[in-house]
Amino acid sequence: MISFISEILQKLQNQGETLSEITFILPSKRAGSFLRKELSAIIKQPVFSPTILSIEEFSENISGLKTIDGTTSLFEFYSVYLELTPKEHTEDFDSFSNWAQTLLHDFNEIDRYLIPPDSIFNYLSEIQDIKHWYLQPEKSDLVKNYLQFWKKLPEYYKSLQNNLLEKNQGYQGLIYRQASEKIEEYAQHQDQKHVFIGFNALNAAEQRIIQKMLEYDSQIFWDIDEVHFQDRDHDVSLFMREYKKTWNYYKEHKFEKTSRNYNTKKDIEIIGIPKNIGQAKYVGEILDSLSKEQINATALVLGDEGLLLPMLNSLPNSIEALNITMGYPLKFSPFASLFEKLFEILKLEKNQFYYKDVISVLSNPIIQKATKNKSDEVIGFIKKNNLLYLSKDQIMDLFSATGKSMVSHCFIEGKIAPLGILQNFNDLIIKIRELLQEEKDELNLEYLYQYHKVIEQLTELVKKYPHLKTTASLQNFYKELSSLKMLDFQGKPFQGLQLMGMLESRVLDFETVILTSVDEGTLPAGKSNNSFIPYELKKAYNLPTYKEKDAVYTYHFYHLLQRAKKIYLLHNSDTDSQMGGEKSRFLIQLDLEKQAYHNIKNFVIVPDVPKIDNQLQSVQKTPELLEKIKALAEKGFSPSALTTYIRNPLDFYIQYVLGIRDKEEVEETVAHNTLGTVVHETLEAFYKPLEGKQLSIELVEEFIRKTPEAVIKKFKENYSEVPLSIGKNLLIFEVVKRYVTNFLKTELEELRSGKIIEIREIETNLKTPLVIEELDFPVNIRGNVDRVDVTDGILRIIDYKTGKVLQNQLEITDWDLLTTDYDKYAKPFQVLMYGAMLLKGKNPGLDVEAGVISFKNLKAGFLKFAEKDKPGRGAIKKTTLDEAILEKFREQLKKLILEICDPEIAFNEKEIKTAYGTY
């Protein structure tokens, strides 16, 4: 394959031109690099390199202006706006920037296309006047001011232009306009021949510049294939047909003969793959199938540049050399999320920091690395102590001296001016740099340097233009500047695989082309309207519309195919994607306009997704596990541990044998278990001092009065210092208060009805040995009984439940199901276990009952355990815990513990049925 650039250089050499004495102008710097490469292959002796410029550099040279970025343009425009607008009608910088960027884009287009500004601005003003036309004879002040603004647009435009020209600066459009006005003088005083190569869509200023240069012995070479140039309806040649028709130069000169490469033998594969990641993975497979020689002539072009990261991670090991012409965006660096979060915190202007914000900052990989993972310990401390809001001092006290100075720059209390924010960020960057240099983290240090440049640039802007007054506006410009910064890859530009974006492919040719994301809405990009100029007005003044923008994409697409021999075109077939999995119109057009020598194949790739067999897990008991079970048995099996085993043996293995519990998190809203803890501890605080004493009406009335204060105290001990007077926590606080109060009122009613209640034990820790002859190691059962009292001569063992419990949930009909049916018998199992521990085979001299007091079912009173005959034999209940009942329970308990300790019985996962199904 002979590339387009090589063809042109050979043609110039055949014309007798001295290549080193030519000034070459190309669409991009990247194309200039390839031109130098082709020159080195053609020229056999040492010569001086010719002048090679991009069209932007060439325009800068002619105009004598220096290009400024969009942010500086915006600041300059605001200075003009303040100067020309009455003070009572001016907007602050934040509001101004919302619309001014669009207006600057229109200024740029007007200049690039050499539109008479007064003419188009007058049209715009009249259009706005028509939009606000109404029947009332007088317009409101608001409408008058609005229309007056549009009438002042020519004044704004001219003043901005003059201000920039005085400083020898300009935005791109202004530089093009100035270059087009000075091109005559430039062309007259040039001795070198100028050659323009590979252009397509030219704005009016570029057309004037090139046409004027053509009058002075310059040349231009278009890269267009005969097939597309002769097709009057094809968008590939839309612009070039217009130039041939309208340029004066072509009335006397021949249009350079186009190439005939498109209708040659090409193998084209159109491949539909679901998801971007799928495309990246498949590209890896394609590259792995290519030889080293093929790789060196291959371009991997990303239609969606956001695919860069997954693509880099999917490249096969066979790729020995890689040249990436795209920059690596800073937004993918770990610093991006850090600074974004710091801005969000600063905008709140608070002296207390929300725990999620604190954790977000401290869990950033850079902060973790800089603090040598001390931040992980701090996060754990925040979660353990349930700290919802923290002061700066609290956060700093959790770090050592090294981390303290860095973290102090992450959390700034109160309001701070933009210049102060930037200084703080700069100090933070310096501190992180010092800490990272110890580990020689070169990549992160390079990121850090780029962010340092962003902060320095912002600092200069804030010092020069006193318009940035809020954190929000500073954040907007930080985003804009950082989005423009790229981390440039270093590589050998002409060796190995060439990875590039669509624009970088201009003027370049490759034998093998892999193009990704050929989807409608990506290639072409579709309609967008970042302009105040209506479509009809754009058409009237020959400004580009979406039609012209689509033609630009069309040219780039077909140019990639023009000289290639093997082409892979990948599109997203996923119907859930933005455009519903619609492949680009370019792919449909390829099929419809299929050339004679094109071998086009269409594929849809479906990932090989293995079938997942959701089998229930099983864990065999190894000697090590059996030792842990023995240690657990000696410590004591609790009712919750044993009922967990009944519910699901695998959960018992994870939670009690391995000791793995749920990850500790901060309770932003009081969790159900915390609610239960507060209820239990509040009642414990009231009743614990009464052990061995008789309950009285006066005491219970006093408890009722003290309930709000006691509940608040227990919330602070178990939850946090967060106010309970707002939000969901207020509702939960009221629920707990209601639970405790209603329970006490129930006690009060029983006392007033004449019942005598003596408190025996409150929240007592019990531990009892359990003799199991089959086991050669000690076994204990333990638990915490909520309350034991004597009411009217009956000893009651009471378990508090904050949830709703019904009487039938405490009744046993089949003892054999006690240790297997969790849903039916978990609650009687618990109260029987408390009874077995408390009585220990002793006769208390009183009838004993065990049961539950449900705070959601207080009207039912004390819900007693009961032995109930099986259906069909009547419904006689036995509620007393006598030795016969306890012996039946011990028999089932021993059977359960023997199963847990049996080395031959694995921990088998059970299917757990819920309201939403089985899992």
Side-chain angles (χ1 to χ4, degrees), residues 276-277 280-281 306-315:
N276 283 337
I277 298 300
K281 295 295 183 185
L307 205 57
L308 176 61
L309 268 185
M311 193 62 73
L312 290 176
N313 288 318
S314 301
L315 294 178

Side-chain angles (χ1 to χ4, degrees), residues 52 125 226 306 316 388 430 469 534 590 672 685 718 765 797 829 843:
I52 301 174
S125 176
E226 186 74 25
L388 254 64
I430 292 169
K469 296 179 180 178
L590 264 182
H672 184 74
N718 290 282
N765 288 314
I797 302 169
F829 182 93
N843 185 353

Side-chain angles (χ1 to χ4, degrees), residues 95-111:
S95 302
F96 167 84
S97 61
N98 289 332
W99 54 263
Q101 288 177 323
T102 303
L103 196 55
L104 279 173
H105 173 269
D106 287 338
F107 286 176
N108 192 56
E109 289 294 276
I110 287 167
D111 282 336

Side-chain angles (χ1 to χ4, degrees), residues 631-644:
L632 184 61
E634 186 174 357
K635 183 181 177 183
F637 291 110
S638 66
S640 58
L642 294 175
T643 52
T644 299

Side-chain angles (χ1 to χ4, degrees), residues 314-326:
S314 301
L315 294 178
N317 294 329
S318 58
I319 303 297
E320 296 178 0
L322 172 67
N323 184 56
I324 305 173
T325 62
M326 306 160 60

Side-chain angles (χ1 to χ4, degrees), residues 876-893:
I876 301 171
K877 296 182 182 180
K878 181 179 181 181
T879 61
T880 304
L881 284 191
D882 55 19
E883 187 57 32
I885 292 290
L886 291 175
E887 188 55 38
K888 290 180 183 179
F889 172 71
R890 290 190 194 99
E891 182 183 338
Q892 296 298 323
L893 180 61

Side-chain angles (χ1 to χ4, degrees), residues 403-592:
K404 190 174 292 188
S405 58
M406 184 193 66
V407 172
S408 67
H409 295 298
C410 295
F411 302 99
I412 304 299
E413 295 176 322
K415 188 174 182 179
I416 182 171
L419 204 56
I421 292 173
L422 294 172
Q423 181 59 53
N424 184 72
F425 281 174
N426 208 34
D427 293 341
L428 176 61
I429 287 171
I430 292 169
K431 183 57 64 177
I432 293 174
R433 183 195 65 191
E434 292 171 357
L435 295 170
L436 289 180
Q437 279 180 337
E438 297 175 10
E439 302 181 15
K440 296 181 180 179
D441 193 340
E442 294 179 0
L443 181 60
N444 280 325
L445 286 171
E446 185 62 34
Y447 285 138
L448 204 57
Y449 175 66
Q450 296 297 329
Y451 276 102
H452 170 70
K453 292 203 295 187
V454 170
I455 299 302
E456 286 293 304
Q457 188 176 353
L458 273 173
T459 302
E460 289 301 314
L461 288 170
V462 172
K463 287 179 178 178
K464 187 175 180 181
Y465 305 98
H467 312 316
L468 277 176
K469 296 179 180 178
T470 67
T471 305
S473 58
L474 180 67
Q475 183 185 17
N476 289 336
F477 286 102
Y478 156 79
K479 284 181 179 178
E480 186 170 335
L481 289 178
S482 60
S483 67
L484 299 174
K485 291 287 182 185
M486 298 282 182
L487 203 63
D488 293 329
F489 291 94
Q490 293 183 350
K492 297 179 180 179
F494 310 116
Q495 291 184 20
L497 177 68
Q498 302 292 314
L499 198 161
M500 60 186 69
M502 203 66 173
L503 290 178
E504 284 84 19
S505 69
R506 289 177 293 183
V507 195
L508 309 182
D509 299 298
F510 301 91
E511 288 194 2
T512 302
V513 171
I514 305 170
L515 177 58
T516 68
S517 304
V518 193
D519 307 304
E520 197 65 24
T522 303
L523 288 175
K527 297 180 183 179
S528 61
N529 187 31
N530 182 29
S531 174
F532 288 122
I533 304 173
Y535 175 83
E536 293 78 9
L537 199 56
K538 285 187 175 185
K539 291 293 289 182
Y541 281 92
N542 292 320
L543 285 169
T545 64
Y546 64 85
K547 165 70 174 172
E548 286 71 30
K549 291 175 183 176
D550 282 358
V552 172
Y553 278 99
T554 306
Y555 176 82
H556 292 323
F557 175 78
Y558 281 95
H559 177 266
L560 276 171
L561 277 54
Q562 194 168 308
R563 293 176 180 82
K565 296 177 181 177
K566 183 68 179 177
I567 300 152
Y568 300 91
L569 304 172
L570 282 64
H571 67 92
N572 188 358
S573 61
D574 178 27
T575 54
D576 293 332
S577 64
Q578 183 181 3
M579 297 298 292
E582 183 181 355
K583 64 183 181 181
S584 171
R585 67 191 79 167
F586 297 157
L587 301 182
I588 299 170
Q589 196 171 356
L590 264 182
D591 272 327
L592 293 175

Side-chain angles (χ1 to χ4, degrees), residues 187-383:
Q188 289 174 353
H189 294 87
Q190 281 299 312
D191 297 329
Q192 275 196 332
K193 183 184 183 72
H194 286 61
V195 175
F196 297 84
I197 299 176
F199 288 92
N200 170 41
L202 300 169
N203 59 53
E206 289 170 333
Q207 290 186 53
R208 180 181 290 183
I209 290 168
I210 293 173
Q211 287 187 73
K212 183 56 66 177
M213 292 302 297
L214 291 176
E215 294 176 13
Y216 289 86
D217 197 32
S218 293
Q219 280 184 274
I220 185 166
F221 295 94
W222 309 99
D223 190 8
I224 185 72
D225 197 89
E226 186 74 25
V227 170
H228 299 128
F229 192 74
Q230 296 303 328
D231 187 345
R232 297 183 178 278
D233 295 321
H234 210 297
D235 279 353
V236 173
S237 56
L238 175 70
F239 301 104
M240 294 175 201
R241 291 196 309 271
E242 185 67 20
Y243 303 151
K244 183 176 185 295
K245 178 181 175 183
T246 59
W247 283 17
N248 291 330
Y249 178 79
Y250 289 120
K251 292 177 181 177
E252 299 177 4
H253 296 80
K254 183 181 177 183
F255 194 90
E256 284 293 338
K257 206 60 182 163
T258 52
S259 67
R260 298 175 181 273
N261 295 298
Y262 182 69
N263 191 17
T264 56
K265 185 179 178 182
K266 300 182 191 297
D267 290 322
I268 303 173
E269 294 186 12
I270 299 174
I271 307 161
I273 306 173
K275 305 289 185 184
N276 283 337
I277 298 300
Q279 293 186 59
K281 295 295 183 185
Y282 191 71
V283 166
E285 292 184 21
I286 294 172
L287 293 172
D288 205 28
S289 67
L290 301 179
S291 68
K292 185 176 180 180
E293 291 72 24
Q294 288 174 313
I295 290 289
N296 287 330
T298 297
L300 171 54
V301 184
L302 305 184
D304 177 3
E305 296 189 5
L307 205 57
L308 176 61
L309 268 185
M311 193 62 73
L312 290 176
N313 288 318
S314 301
L315 294 178
N317 294 329
S318 58
I319 303 297
E320 296 178 0
L322 172 67
N323 184 56
I324 305 173
T325 62
M326 306 160 60
Y328 186 82
L330 281 189
K331 65 181 180 180
F332 294 139
S333 78
F335 289 95
S337 58
L338 174 62
F339 283 110
E340 194 62 35
K341 176 53 69 175
L342 294 181
F343 267 116
E344 294 300 325
I345 293 172
L346 283 165
K347 283 196 296 187
L348 298 174
E349 299 178 355
K350 301 286 187 182
N351 292 325
Q352 293 277 317
F353 303 99
Y354 185 44
Y355 83 97
K356 284 188 178 179
D357 292 333
V358 176
I359 289 176
S360 179
V361 171
L362 298 184
S363 59
N364 185 276
I366 293 300
I367 299 296
Q368 288 181 322
K369 184 171 285 190
T371 60
K372 294 181 171 54
N373 295 320
K374 173 66 176 176
S375 58
D376 284 341
E377 296 178 26
V378 173
I379 291 170
F381 181 86
I382 291 170
K383 292 179 177 179

